[in-house]
């Protein structure tokens, strides 16, 4: 690599893998890393025994206080220790929310590293909810941080944001394919202003698929080489459980992370309706309704098991 | 705050400040923090003596190697030390690219904290290029990390991404107004796939303003209370120097961060053309063409001064 700042906007021109501004090409599947299974296959395997629930680790000030913990790095560490104890062998997927660790600076990130290491040792499937999005070597930097083999922050998957176009995600998608780790792309979120851009029509006069559907269709194309071999791929999407006019997910071919379930209003019926033909790949995500059972580890475990029963493995 | 996971998707419903899914209301201006000037005013003051150039600190592997540094935390630290020495009193704005620090985990973030502290001591204007984007308490977590008064990562401004809708940015905008720090929103980027979503039309049949223009118009509204009092506001936009069909920036009322200048193809004429009536608020950003002069501190300083002369204070 030359000392080019290919990570600065708009430096991804000419960078490899190329940012094509169009549907990314399907990756060539196979290779050693895939022998242990894609991220999608590892999700399906774990969901087969634990159900499909994803549990969020969201250590905002309110939950630390509710658990009788100080709003400090020590409180963050104790919260994380309790969550690892309670969720590592009960939840199909555990999803730490990176912002709440980052709010404490490098000391908070160090706590997250320890939590990720403990979850890794336990064999838990972990999504780092980071929603990163950049281009070129900068996007590659984020890929190294969250999916790199030697990174202390490595997780099984990371969430990413496509405002810079789907081609901007190529560097992280490439690392995901190489390491059989997941890249989960924001598609449709159910916050009030979510539809502002996500539901716009593409193409001439906006008559083409919505932005959210375009994201899903691109992810489907990225997973297609794996799907042809009868397995789920490494790439997924985020679609909220209370989205109106959700994208069609039937052919997504990878994990659907679906927040907004439980205390946030989404029901099991909503999840089933939106997931459609992708039900078996859909992981409904809960945070508040689980964490409110804490800080008692036993109560947290029971909350996970109870909610997981609502989302058994789907056929 | 209750132990609600208002940060998880789609938990920002009902959170305050509300995510309205529409143009954010102009903030009430004034207040103690504004006595030292908004972020926009501090940019104008510094640009008045140093010119408008923003210099990127992008410690990717290629530049570390080109500077004869190891691709390790030690190399990252030495790169950052040299940059602080060379840029702190020569560049109008310094912009560390967070991804390259995050790639080294908490140890890398600690190096960034030290660099930010040194730049703060020197009185340099700093933009943390983080492109964060989330909702509710999660977005507030990022605001705390990058703009919070007590955060070891605090900078004068942070870049954010609007894929979740402009209303999702309310928590960071609120912190920016309160602390007179900057929030710089991605609008139009000049990577090849940038236009995929950014140039879509809003409104009926896509005949309304583009997504990028909608971002600019919202930022203009957010700055309007300050502009009415004759000062630039705290909110800015990112618009690439090689964007085709760029948004109209005349009324933006806050900083325009314009990457893609120099080695990346954008000329001073491009900057002037795209900036239009916002020329005085526009900070062209260079990384590669400056960093390639390193690692000699004197050569780096000369590179900054030479390029800064191309972008003098504008009337």
């Amino acid at each position: 690599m030359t000392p080019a700042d290919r990570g600065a906007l708009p430096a991804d021109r000419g960078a490899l893998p190329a940012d094509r501004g169009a549907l990314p090409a399907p990756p060539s599947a196979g290779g050693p890393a895939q022998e242990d299974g894609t991220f999608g296959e590892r999700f399906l395997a774990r969901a087969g025994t634990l159900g499909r629930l994803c549990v969020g680790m969201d250590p905002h000030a309110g939950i630390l206080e509710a658990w009788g913990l100080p709003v400090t790095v020590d409180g963050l560490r104790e919260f994380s220790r309790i969550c690892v104890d309670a969720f590592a062998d009960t939840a199909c997927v555990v999803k730490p929310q990176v912002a709440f660790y980052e709010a404490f600076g490098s000391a908070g990130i160090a706590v997250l590293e320890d939590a990720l290491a403990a979850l890794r040792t336990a064999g838990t499937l972990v999504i780092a909810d980071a929603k990163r999005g950049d281009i070129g070597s900068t996007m590659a930097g984020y890929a190294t941080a969250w999916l790199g083999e030697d990174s202390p922050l490595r997780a099984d998957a990371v969430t990413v944001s496509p405002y810079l176009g789907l081609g901007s995600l190529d560097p992280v998608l490439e690392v995901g394919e190489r390491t059989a780790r997941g890249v989960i792309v924001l598609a449709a979120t159910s916050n009030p202003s979510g539809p502002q851009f996500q539901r716009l029509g593409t193409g001439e006069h906006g008559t083409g698929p919505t932005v959210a559907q375009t994201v899903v269709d691109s992810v489907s194309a990225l997973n297609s080489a794996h799907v042809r071999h009868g397995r789920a791929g490494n790439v997924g999407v985020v679609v909220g459980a209370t989205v109106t006019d959700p994208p069609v997910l039937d052919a997504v071919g990878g994990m659907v992370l679906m927040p907004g379930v439980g205390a946030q209003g989404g029901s099991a019926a909503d999840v089933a309706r939106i997931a459609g033909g992708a039900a078996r790949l859909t992981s409904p995500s809960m945070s508040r309704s689980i964490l409110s059972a804490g800080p008692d580890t036993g109560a947290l475990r029971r909350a996970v098991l109870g909610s997981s029963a609502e989302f058994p493995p789907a056929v």
Side-chain angles (χ1 to χ4, degrees), chain A residues 244-266:
Chain A
T244 49
D245 296 330
V248 176
L249 293 167
D250 297 347
V252 66
M255 182 203 261
V256 178
L257 178 65
M258 196 171 287
V261 180
Q264 295 166 49

Side-chain angles (χ1 to χ4, degrees), chain A residues 10-282:
Chain A
D12 62 348
R13 289 175 300 161
L16 291 172
D19 171 345
R20 289 174 301 276
L23 283 188
S28 62
Q34 311 296 349
E35 288 172 12
D36 299 327
T38 59
F39 173 72
E41 286 298 311
R42 283 183 286 142
F43 166 72
L44 289 172
R46 195 165 162 93
T49 54
L50 294 172
R52 293 173 286 129
L53 188 69
C54 172
V55 177
M57 284 173 62
D58 292 7
H60 51 78
I63 195 71
L64 295 177
E65 288 165 358
W67 284 21
L69 297 172
V71 184
T72 63
V73 172
D74 285 342
L76 193 69
R77 187 179 298 112
E78 180 63 5
F79 170 90
S80 301
R81 187 193 64 74
I82 293 170
C83 286
V84 170
D85 278 0
F87 305 152
D89 61 348
T90 53
C92 176
V93 182
V94 174
K95 181 175 73 67
Q97 184 55 266
V98 176
F100 298 118
Y101 293 88
E102 194 164 295
F104 291 91
S106 62
I109 297 294
V111 171
L112 177 58
E113 287 173 349
D114 291 345
L116 291 170
L119 291 165
R120 205 180 297 132
T121 300
T124 311
L125 205 63
V126 178
I127 299 172
D129 198 354
K131 299 188 178 68
R132 299 302 192 245
D134 214 299
I135 62 169
S137 65
T138 310
M139 191 74 241
Y142 286 127
T144 297
W146 299 104
L147 303 183
E149 290 293 3
D150 301 323
S151 173
L153 287 169
R154 68 189 181 280
D156 295 288
V158 64
T159 56
V160 299
S161 177
Y163 185 79
L164 301 175
L166 289 160
S168 70
L169 303 177
D170 281 352
V172 69
L173 292 167
E174 189 274 325
V175 174
E177 281 303 312
R178 181 156 41 82
T179 61
R181 292 196 166 96
V183 177
I184 304 182
V185 189
L186 287 173
T189 63
S190 43
N191 58 304
S193 68
Q196 183 176 20
F197 301 143
Q198 296 161 14
R199 218 190 286 165
L200 293 177
T202 58
E204 280 289 319
H205 307 299
T207 53
T210 62
V211 167
Q213 188 68 57
T214 302
V215 170
V216 172
D217 292 348
S218 292
V219 167
S220 180
L222 286 159
N223 286 325
S224 63
H226 293 294
V227 170
R228 273 199 300 277
H229 288 85
R231 59 183 178 240
N234 291 306
V235 194
V237 292
V238 177
V239 175
T242 59
V243 166
T244 49
D245 296 330
V248 176
L249 293 167
D250 297 347
V252 66
M255 182 203 261
V256 178
L257 178 65
M258 196 171 287
V261 180
Q264 295 166 49
S267 67
D270 290 327
V271 172
R273 176 178 49 81
I274 295 175
R280 61 196 280 271
L281 285 162
T282 297

